[in-house]
Every structure is written in C-alpha cells, then in structure tokens.
C-alpha cells in the first residue's frame, strides 16, 4: 500500500491543480501522424490507469470518510459502549498506553512474568518510559478519568452472559399482536414459573416427599418398598437424569485422530462427587478430602432435617452415605492422569461391560434411557475410566446401597425446591472454597430453560439475530483467513499441503440442521410437554424428560443445538458457527458493518485460528517473526531500543501475539471485502469506518476476549502497530514530537498490502 495515499488521491481527484502545458512537444515526432497516434495511445492508457486508480482510491477513501449515523434501537443500545474519546486517532501519541477500562492496566504485571525481566528491570523501564514519552503517563491517567464518563465503564459482557441475556429477552418478550407458537408459549411458561421465587417457598419440601412415595419411598424418610436396585437405578437415569454411581452422556469419539463420520456414542464416566477429592502425585491414589467431610456431613443432616427426617436417623444415613462415597472416590483419577494412562475413550461393547461390571444391568439401563432407540449388547460404548467402573460394581455388590440411591435424586432436584435447600448447597460450596458470587436467579432460570428447550431457543436466536448479514460476515472472515494462511511461510511442503487442503475443504456454515425446523415441527417436538401454572417442581421434572430426549436425538442424528454455543466447532467437513455468537452487543443486522466486523469479526477470526491451528508456531515461521516484530515495536516505544534484546517472549506468548494481530488483520480485510457488496456504511457515537472498526476491536478485546490475559501488552497497541505505516488508517498512530518511531520492518502480511 502506497504510504502517500492522500497525496495520490488529491492528485487524481483535483486535476485542475496539476501543471499543464499548451505547447506541443515535437521531440521524437518526425512524422505528425505518428505523433498523434502515440499521443492518443498514451492518453487512452493514462485514462484507463487513472480510472483504475481513482476507483481504488474511492474504495480506500470510503474507509476514512464520514457516514450517516445509525439510529436503530440496537445502535442506540450499543452507543453506550462507545464515545468519540475512544477513537485511537484522537490521541495518537499515547494510544499504545490506553489501558482496558479505567483505573490502570494489567500490562506491567503480565510483563513481569516474561522471561528475562525482573521487578527491578520493570521499575527502571517505567521510569525511562515516563521520561521518553514526556507527559504521556499523565495523559493516560487523564484518559482513564475521561473513560469513566465516556463509556469505558459500560463494558461489553462476556459472550456467555450476552447469549443468556439474549435468551432472557426472548423468554420475557410479550410480542403483542404476534402469534406465538405452542412450543414458544411452553418455554416462556417454564421460565416464568422458574422466576417465581414465592411459589416454591409456599410448598416447601412437600413435592419431593410426594415424588419419593411414587417411587417406592425412602428408608430414611419413612415407608420404603424395597424395590430392585437396578429397577430403581433405571428409573432415575431414564426419567430424572440422575446418575448416582457413574455419569452417562453422548458425544463423538474425540480419541480418534479423525472422526469424519461425526458418529456419536454413549459415553460412561466417573460421577460428580459432592465433595472435593485429593490426588497424590506420588502414590497415584485419590481420596476424599478429609477437611471437608465434616462440613459435608453437616450439610447432609441439614437436608434431611428440611425433609422432616428425625435426627436419630440422620446420623446413620449420612454416615453410611459418606462412607460409600469415599470408598468409590478412591478409584477416581484426575483427567490429566487418565489421559497419560490412555484411560479415555476406551471402546467396549455393552456385553463386555456387563462382564467387567456385573452389578449394573447395563443393557436395561441404557435401553430405558435411550428409548425408543434400539440398543443392543453388541453396541459400542466409550468408557473413560474402566478401573473405576469395575471398582464401583464390586462396591455396590458388597454394600447395602438400595436405600442410599435416593439421596442423589435430592441433589438433582434441589434447583426446583425452596430456597432453604439451595442455600444449604451454597453454604457447603463456600466452605469448599467456592468464591464465585451467587448466580442471579434470572441466569439460573435461563440455563434451566435452555436444558429443555435448546432446539426452540436456538431457532429463536437465529430468527432474531442471525440473518443474511451473519452469513456474509462468516464468508468474508473465512475468505480473508484463507488468504492469510496461504501467505504463511511453512517449514515444509508436507505440512503446508495438508493444512491448506484441510482449510480449503472445510465449509463454514451457520448452526446446524436442527435450526431449520419450522413452527409446526417445533410444536410437534414439544407436543407431549404439559406445564402447570405456579408449579415449578412439576415443570422441572418435565424439563428433565426433555433433556433426556435431547440426548436421544444426539445419539440418533449426531446433532445438537449448537446455536446455543459461543465458539465454532468442527463437525465432519463443516465448521459450525453457532448462532449464539450473533447476539447483542457483538452483532446486529442494523449495526454499522465496522462495528460487526471489528467486534464479532475479530473474535471469530481468533476462534478459528485457535481451532484450526492450535500449534501453528511449530509449523510456520510467521508466528515467531511477526510476533517478535510487534514486540520489538512495543519495546521501541516503551524502553531504550538498545536494550530490546534483553526482553524476550516465550513461545506461548509469541503465538498469542501472532493470533491476536493476525485476527485484527483478517477482520479488517474481511471488512474491506464487504465493500464489494455494500459501498457505504453508517456511524455510531460519532465514529465511522476505520475509526469505529479499530475502536470496536480494542473495546471487544478489552472486555470480552478470554485470550487477552495471555497478552504481554494492551490490545490497543496492536492498533498502533497496524497503523504505524498502513494506508488503511487516516494517519499514523505516532507522535512526531517524541522519540517514538515506527519500526523499520512493518509487521504486516501480504493480506493487507
């Protein structure tokens, strides 16, 4: 890209200012006719070239010109996140110091962990930086203060929260005058009864006690019909999503190097124990954490007291329950150990599993759980800790555990009971070190609704948020990404051919076929669901049945409602881009494209790079060279250039710097591609085109990028590097009155040239 773009544009667009001569030049023209021919040919060539340059410059100038404001409701909501003060070109001298949010930056803390730097080095570095940049440190503090009133405190939520808020808005919408499908009405009714905090308080533990009676009772709570152990276990697994001694779920065989068929299997794993388990790295043994057993015993007693169980029965039951659980826990292994011992994804038939763990009637349990699907003894299941499953079977055979199986059902149903049960569970979590704030009720209710109505909500998200603009963004980002990867310098042709062929063969597409159901099909899917007013416990049981049907669909069709995910995934030859990514404030069809591409476009590019090239630094030279170029540029504006070699980046940070910087370039190139379809764009909060694009990138990386913590500097500095000598920026992000200078070697790939 020509550095003097503005000069060339002025020369093309204002020909009247160019020097003219009315005198013909006879040199070289021996014949008048030949002279005219040459002049005509030259004029035709110049006109064609001029029109080409003019057309090119017109496209480039569109990235720098003003634009009409976006006044849609979505834009008005998004405007609270932006202000003119966020424009990087409003303070180019210190933009590389612009911290994420007000009140300082974590950059220095990150840099202290970089190989080769010490606390003393960083202290001296800060002093030199203050001297070299004059008043820039003061300007940064002023920018922080200004940010408090100009929008930086209006942070983007993380992507999961944004998706949940979008679902909440759907579930709470009244949509007067618009007829709702029966399925949507049921989802909204479920959410409404969940949000009603008063109804569960009125009934207390009565719904659970009634359910126990229907299931044959519980020895500790009164009457107990001593039903067969496997009969009770089958019922809990199939109707109540309760797995006392092992967990069952459905998924692909991730242990295979390639799973092009995308076949899904029944998978059997360790259960989730309600107390922490300690692992001894020397003996390779697990045991229940003894310091938490007494609090666990006390919480067990509190649960039983809430159910009206006499105290003399509490001691016996809780003691037996803890003894059984700790006995099972000794055979569990942490994931990293199971991975090292190749205990994951062990393929075995149900018949073979029955032989190794005979206490469980595996065929009967799995047939009931996945009915009406045909499950046979010859079917393959994947086991993730076969030694535990064998140990569990032996323990059940030796212990009298029939009366203890209902205790796990209580844990499953706590979300549907009154607040005393939830608070007891919460208190024990705090004792075990859970420092997270209590989840808001709306968030819990959205998640519960999602468990049962995932297909419906995925469909609703797509209808409201992911229109053709979403498809266009996916196409543009992936097209730009392929160009970026084609330009890489690969270390060998074999790796190059394999990866590039893989990238070209993959087809990025929005969500899955489950999202293409029409309203009639959705109504049929939820036809058997009957919900009650002001009876969340009953409705919660219905949700557990729906969740089980979702597992059946996944096993039979290999599809789930990926729309409610927030990151891309690979399924066969497809890259699934979930519609859950396309929600406010990251994307809206009415947004300026600069905002969509700067926020979601850059996040998508980072997701795809991490997904497709997790170890790119071992296969190409670009991550190391480009990231060190960026790092050298950073050091050149923050410390003495002569000492730049004493501060190096470890490989993991080199790769992340490359991913972040590459994603910025890919997203910007994708934004340019969008102008081939739409030659204009709108503005937001006084920002437009490249100003809004770069501000959006910085904003979303600051607020919602999970990978930012691995960066050695603020994301705003990547904008400084991009604009240090790029024709896509209105002006350089450098300060001519200081010693800040551009690097001699530009850290740009050919994608942006």
């Amino acid at each position: 890209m020509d550095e003097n773009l503005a000069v060339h544009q002025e020369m093309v667009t204002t020909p009247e200012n160019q020097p003219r001569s009315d005198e013909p030049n006879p040199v070289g023209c021996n014949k008048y006719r030949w002279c005219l021919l040459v002049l005509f040919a030259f004029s035709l060539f110049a006109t064609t070239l001029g029109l080409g340059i003019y057309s090119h410059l017109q496209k480039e100038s569109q990235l720098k010109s003003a634009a009409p404001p976006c006044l849609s409701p979505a834009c008005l909501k998004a405007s609270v996140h932006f202000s003119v003060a966020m424009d990087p070109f409003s303070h180019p001298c210190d933009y590389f110091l612009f911290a994420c949010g007000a009140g300082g930056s974590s950059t220095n803390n990150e840099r202290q962990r970089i190989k080769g730097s010490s606390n003393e080095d960083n202290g001296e570095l800060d002093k030199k930086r203050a001297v070299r940049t004059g008043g820039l440190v003061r300007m940064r503090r002023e920018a922080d203060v200004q940010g408090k009133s100009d929008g930086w405190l209006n942070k983007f939520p993380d992507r999961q929260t944004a998706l949940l808020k979008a679902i909440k808005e759907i579930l709470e919408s009244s949509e007067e005058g618009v007829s709702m499908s029966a399925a949507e009405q049921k989802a909204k009714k479920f959410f409404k009864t969940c949000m009603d905090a008063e109804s569960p308080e009125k009934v207390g533990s009565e719904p659970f006690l009634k359910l126990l009676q229907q299931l044959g009772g519980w020895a500790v709570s009164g009457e107990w019909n001593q039903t067969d152990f496997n009969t009770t276990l089958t019922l809990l697994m199939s109707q109540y999503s309760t797995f006392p001694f092992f967990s069952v779920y459905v998924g692909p065989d991730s242990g295979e190097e390639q799973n092009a068929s995308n076949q899904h299997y029944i998978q059997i794993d360790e259960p989730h124990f309600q107390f922490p388990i300690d692992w001894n790295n020397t003996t390779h043994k697990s045991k229940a954490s003894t310091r938490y057993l007494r609090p666990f015993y006390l919480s067990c007693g509190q649960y039983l007291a809430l159910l009206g169980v006499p105290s003399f029965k509490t001691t016996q039951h809780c003691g037996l329950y803890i003894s059984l659980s700790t006995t099972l826990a000794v055979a569990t292994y942490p994931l990293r150990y199971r991975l090292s011992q190749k205990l994951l994804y062990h393929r075995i038939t149900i018949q073979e599993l029955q032989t190794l763990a005979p206490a469980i009637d595996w065929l009967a349990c799995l047939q009931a759980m996945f009915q009406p699907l045909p499950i046979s003894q010859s079917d393959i299941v994947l086991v993730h800790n076969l030694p535990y499953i064998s140990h569990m079977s032996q323990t059940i055979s030796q212990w009298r555990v029939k009366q203890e199986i209902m205790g796990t059902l209580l844990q499953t149903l706590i979300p549907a009971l009154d607040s005393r049960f939830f608070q007891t569970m919460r208190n024990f979590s705090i004792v075990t070190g859970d420092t997270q704030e209590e989840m808001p009720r709306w968030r819990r209710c959205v998640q519960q609704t999602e468990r049962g109505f995932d297909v419906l909500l995925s469909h609703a998200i797509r209808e409201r948020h992911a229109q053709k603009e979403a498809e266009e963004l996916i196409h543009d980002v992936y097209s730009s990404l392929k160009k970026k990867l084609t330009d890489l310098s690969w270390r060998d042709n074999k790796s190059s051919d394999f990866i590039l062929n893989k990238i070209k063969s993959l087809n990025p597409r929005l969500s899955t076929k489950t999202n293409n159901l029409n309203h009639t099909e959705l109504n049929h899917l939820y036809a058997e669901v009957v919900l009650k007013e002001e009876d969340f416990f009953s409705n919660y049981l219905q949700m557990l049945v729906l969740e089980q049907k979702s597992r059946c669909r996944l096993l039979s069709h290999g599809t789930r409602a990926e729309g409610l995910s927030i990151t891309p995934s690979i399924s066969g030859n497809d890259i699934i881009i979930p519609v859950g990514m396309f929600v406010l404030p990251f994307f809206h069809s009415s947004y300026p494209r600069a905002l969509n591409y700067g926020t979601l476009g850059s996040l998508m590019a980072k997701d795809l790079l991490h997904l497709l090239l997790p170890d790119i630094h071992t296969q190409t030279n670009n991550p190391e060279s480009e990231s060190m170029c960026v790092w050298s540029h950073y050091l050149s504006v923050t410390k003495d250039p002569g000492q730049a070699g004493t501060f190096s980046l470890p490989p993991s940070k080199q790769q992340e710097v490359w991913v972040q910087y590459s994603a910025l370039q890919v997203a910007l190139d994708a934004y340019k591609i969008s102008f081939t379809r739409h030659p204009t764009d709108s503005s937001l909060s006084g920002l437009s085109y490249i100003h809004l694009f770069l501000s959006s990138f910085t904003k979303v990386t600051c607020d919602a990028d999970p990978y930012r913590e691995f960066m050695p500097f603020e994301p705003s500095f990547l904008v400084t590097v991009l604009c240090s000598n790029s024709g896509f920026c209105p002006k350089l992000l450098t300060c001519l009155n200081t010693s800040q200078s551009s690097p001699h070697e530009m850290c740009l790939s050919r994608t942006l040239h």
Side-chain angles (χ1 to χ4, degrees):
M1 182 60 60
D2 199 321
E3 297 181 30
N4 300 312
L5 181 60
V7 176
H8 288 311
Q9 183 173 354
E10 184 178 354
M11 291 174 64
V12 172
T13 57
T14 57
E16 67 275 13
N17 294 331
Q18 305 305 316
R20 292 186 295 178
S21 175
D22 297 327
E23 300 289 333
N25 186 359
V27 178
C29 296
N30 296 325
K31 295 182 179 180
Y32 184 70
R33 182 177 299 175
W34 175 252
C35 222
L36 286 176
L37 182 61
V38 171
L39 286 173
F40 174 76
F42 179 77
S43 298
L44 181 62
F45 172 77
T47 300
T48 304
L49 180 61
L51 288 174
I53 295 176
Y54 179 77
S55 175
H56 173 73
L57 292 176
Q58 281 291 97
K59 291 181 181 180
E60 297 297 334
S61 65
Q62 287 169 347
L63 294 175
K64 304 176 181 181
S65 61
C70 175
L71 301 177
S72 70
C75 283
L76 294 179
K77 286 183 180 180
S79 64
V80 302
H81 298 287
F82 293 90
S83 71
V84 176
M86 295 168 56
D87 183 4
F89 306 104
S90 65
H91 41 93
C93 290
D94 67 331
Y95 193 68
F96 69 95
L97 292 174
F98 201 72
C100 288
S105 164
S106 61
T107 303
N108 287 337
N109 295 331
E110 282 293 320
R111 293 181 60 224
Q112 288 178 7
R113 293 194 289 270
I114 297 173
K115 180 180 178 181
S117 47
S118 64
N119 292 334
E120 294 182 0
D121 291 334
N122 281 280
E124 187 63 24
L125 179 105
D126 290 338
K127 294 176 184 177
K128 291 180 179 179
R129 179 172 61 186
V131 173
R132 283 168 50 81
T133 59
L136 297 186
V137 174
R138 174 183 57 80
M139 294 171 66
R140 174 179 173 177
R141 287 197 294 267
E142 292 176 355
D144 287 342
V145 173
Q146 186 180 25
K148 294 181 180 180
S149 60
D150 282 334
W152 273 101
L153 287 183
N154 293 308
K155 294 183 62 177
F156 277 179
D158 63 83
R159 287 195 276 179
Q160 184 64 44
T161 299
L163 174 57
L164 293 178
K165 285 185 175 180
I167 296 174
K168 176 176 178 284
E169 185 175 321
I170 291 172
L171 294 172
E172 290 180 334
S173 63
S174 58
E175 298 184 348
E176 296 181 2
V178 178
S179 59
M180 287 187 295
S181 66
E184 190 170 350
Q185 291 177 10
K186 292 176 181 180
K188 291 184 175 182
K189 179 180 288 188
F190 178 89
F191 178 75
K192 182 180 179 181
T193 57
C194 180
M195 289 295 291
D196 180 8
E198 295 182 1
S199 294
E201 305 301 321
K202 295 176 182 177
V203 296
S205 59
E206 182 180 352
F208 181 73
L209 294 174
K210 286 184 176 180
L211 178 63
L212 284 180
Q213 293 176 358
Q214 295 173 11
L215 297 177
W218 188 14
V220 73
S221 64
E223 295 184 6
W224 176 41
N225 299 328
Q226 298 190 33
T227 54
D228 175 69
F229 167 78
N230 275 292
T231 300
T232 304
L233 179 62
T234 298
L235 184 62
L236 293 181
M237 290 175 57
S238 61
Q239 297 297 314
Y240 301 101
S241 288
T242 298
F243 309 96
F245 309 113
F246 53 89
S247 60
V248 180
Y249 52 92
V250 176
D253 185 358
S254 299
E256 294 180 344
E257 292 186 4
Q258 293 187 7
N259 187 27
S261 65
N262 197 36
Q263 182 177 353
H264 284 60
Y265 299 87
I266 297 173
Q267 310 206 21
I268 300 172
D269 206 344
E270 302 172 355
H272 171 69
F273 288 94
Q274 299 167 34
F275 47 78
I277 298 175
D278 293 334
W279 170 253
N280 190 313
N281 281 317
T282 303
T283 62
H284 294 162
K285 296 291 184 181
S286 294
K287 69 173 183 177
S289 184
T290 54
R291 65 183 180 277
Y292 298 123
L293 290 183
R294 178 168 177 76
F296 179 68
Y297 174 84
L298 293 176
S299 67
C300 175
Q302 291 170 354
Y303 285 132
L304 295 181
L306 293 175
L307 294 173
V309 176
S311 58
F312 70 89
K313 290 187 177 182
T314 298
T315 302
Q316 178 184 4
H317 168 77
C318 291
L320 183 61
Y321 185 71
I322 290 176
S323 183
L324 172 63
S325 299
T326 54
T327 301
L328 293 174
V330 298
T332 63
Y333 301 122
L335 183 60
R336 63 182 183 279
Y337 181 77
R338 285 189 280 165
L339 184 63
S340 67
Q341 299 300 307
K342 302 186 185 310
L343 293 174
L344 301 177
Y345 299 100
H346 183 86
R347 299 169 70 92
I348 188 173
T349 65
I350 295 177
Q351 185 174 13
E352 292 170 336
L353 182 61
Q354 188 66 54
T355 302
L356 295 174
I360 307 297
D361 188 343
W362 294 101
L363 182 61
C365 286
L366 296 177
Q367 283 178 335
M369 185 173 175
F370 292 100
Q371 63 177 337
L373 300 182
I375 305 295
S376 66
Q377 291 186 344
S378 60
D379 285 351
I380 296 291
V381 296
L382 305 180
V383 181
H384 297 292
N385 186 351
L386 191 56
Y388 168 81
I389 298 299
S390 177
H391 172 77
M392 176 269 300
S393 176
Q394 295 174 10
T395 303
I396 288 176
S397 298
Q398 296 168 3
W399 287 60
R400 192 166 61 91
V401 299
K402 295 179 182 178
Q403 64 182 30
E404 310 307 325
I405 197 171
M406 290 300 182
T408 311
L409 178 62
L410 175 62
Q411 291 294 321
T412 300
L413 300 179
I414 281 179
L417 297 174
D418 68 78
S419 59
R420 298 173 301 167
F421 291 89
F422 179 81
Q423 193 58 51
T424 301
M425 180 179 65
R426 173 66 180 160
N427 291 340
F428 178 69
S429 298
I430 293 174
V431 170
T432 58
D434 184 0
T435 58
Q436 294 183 351
E437 295 184 4
E438 183 176 337
M439 186 182 297
R441 188 176 188 88
W442 73 263
R443 190 176 184 118
R444 282 190 280 134
C445 288
V446 168
Q447 291 178 343
Q448 301 295 353
T449 309
E450 180 186 332
R451 288 173 62 185
F453 295 89
D454 54 344
V455 175
L456 171 70
L457 293 175
S458 182
H459 175 84
I461 288 288
R462 178 165 187 166
E463 277 194 335
R464 288 165 171 79
H465 295 275
Q467 305 299 327
K468 68 173 184 177
E469 291 82 3
E471 301 275 7
E472 291 175 352
L473 186 143
I474 293 172
H475 173 270
D476 294 343
V477 169
Y478 200 69
S479 297
S480 177
L481 181 66
K482 287 193 291 186
K483 284 198 298 180
K484 171 72 178 177
L485 298 181
T486 302
D487 290 340
L488 293 181
S489 173
W490 299 90
R491 291 179 177 172
D492 61 78
N493 293 332
K494 184 177 180 180
S495 296
S496 171
D497 293 341
F498 175 77
I499 294 179
L500 292 180
N501 288 336
K502 174 185 175 182
I503 299 300
K504 293 177 182 178
S505 66
L506 290 173
N507 173 43
R509 62 183 178 87
L510 187 62
S511 192
T512 62
K513 60 186 178 183
T514 57
N515 292 65
N516 294 329
L517 299 178
N518 57 40
H519 290 288
T520 302
E521 292 169 323
L522 288 171
N523 289 338
H524 178 72
L525 189 63
Y526 298 99
E528 297 179 4
V529 178
V530 179
L531 301 179
K532 299 179 180 179
E533 298 285 351
E534 300 183 358
D535 188 355
F536 181 59
F537 186 86
S538 173
N539 295 345
Y540 189 84
L541 298 182
Q542 291 279 302
M543 181 274 295
L544 295 178
V545 174
L546 287 174
E547 186 178 42
Q548 186 53 40
K549 290 183 177 180
S550 178
R551 294 192 188 99
C552 291
R553 287 195 301 272
L554 184 58
L555 182 63
S556 61
H557 302 300
T559 59
R560 68 168 76 244
E562 283 96 345
L564 299 181
S565 175
I566 54 172
T567 53
S569 61
I570 296 179
S571 177
N573 292 323
D574 293 325
I575 301 177
I576 307 301
I577 309 294
V579 295
M581 296 177 67
F582 294 84
V583 297
L584 297 172
F586 304 111
F587 179 89
H588 194 269
S589 58
S590 69
Y591 275 176
R593 293 198 314 284
L595 178 54
N596 281 334
Y597 283 75
T599 52
L600 188 55
S602 61
L603 289 176
M604 186 183 298
K606 295 172 194 178
D607 289 339
L608 291 173
L609 286 168
H610 281 289
L611 175 69
L612 300 174
L613 301 168
D615 55 349
I616 183 66
H617 66 285
T618 65
Q619 299 161 330
T620 74
N621 299 317
N622 300 71
E624 180 179 3
S625 60
E626 290 185 19
S627 63
M628 291 313 296
C629 177
V630 174
W631 180 238
S632 297
H633 190 185
Y634 180 76
L635 295 178
S636 72
V637 297
T638 56
K639 71 185 300 300
D640 289 336
Q643 297 183 7
T646 63
F647 294 87
S648 59
L649 286 174
S652 60
K653 289 188 180 294
Q654 287 181 18
Q655 173 157 324
E656 191 55 41
V657 169
W658 179 81
V659 167
Q660 295 274 344
Y661 189 48
S662 297
L664 172 58
Q665 297 177 62
V666 167
L668 179 55
D669 186 57
Y671 180 47
K672 287 176 53 191
I673 293 174
S674 74
F675 275 82
T676 61
R677 294 186 304 271
H678 313 289
T680 60
D681 201 0
S682 55
S683 64
L684 184 76
S685 298
L687 298 169
S688 61
Y689 294 108
I690 194 69
H691 299 260
L692 180 56
F693 175 90
L694 296 176
S695 298
S696 301
F697 168 81
T698 302
K699 176 69 175 172
V700 76
T701 307
C702 278
D703 294 350
D705 184 2
Y707 299 107
R708 187 178 76 84
E709 61 180 291
F710 303 109
M711 291 289 287
F713 45 70
E714 296 287 6
S716 58
F717 184 71
L718 296 176
V719 174
T720 299
V721 178
L722 181 75
C723 293
S724 59
N725 192 25
S726 172
F728 298 108
C729 298
K731 56 185 176 181
L732 303 182
L733 279 176
T734 56
C735 190
L736 299 178
N737 296 325
T738 71
S739 56
Q740 181 183 346
S741 60
S742 301
H744 296 296
E745 176 190 3
M746 288 302 100
C747 313
L748 291 172
S749 69
R750 283 180 288 175
T751 304
L752 284 178
H753 287 335

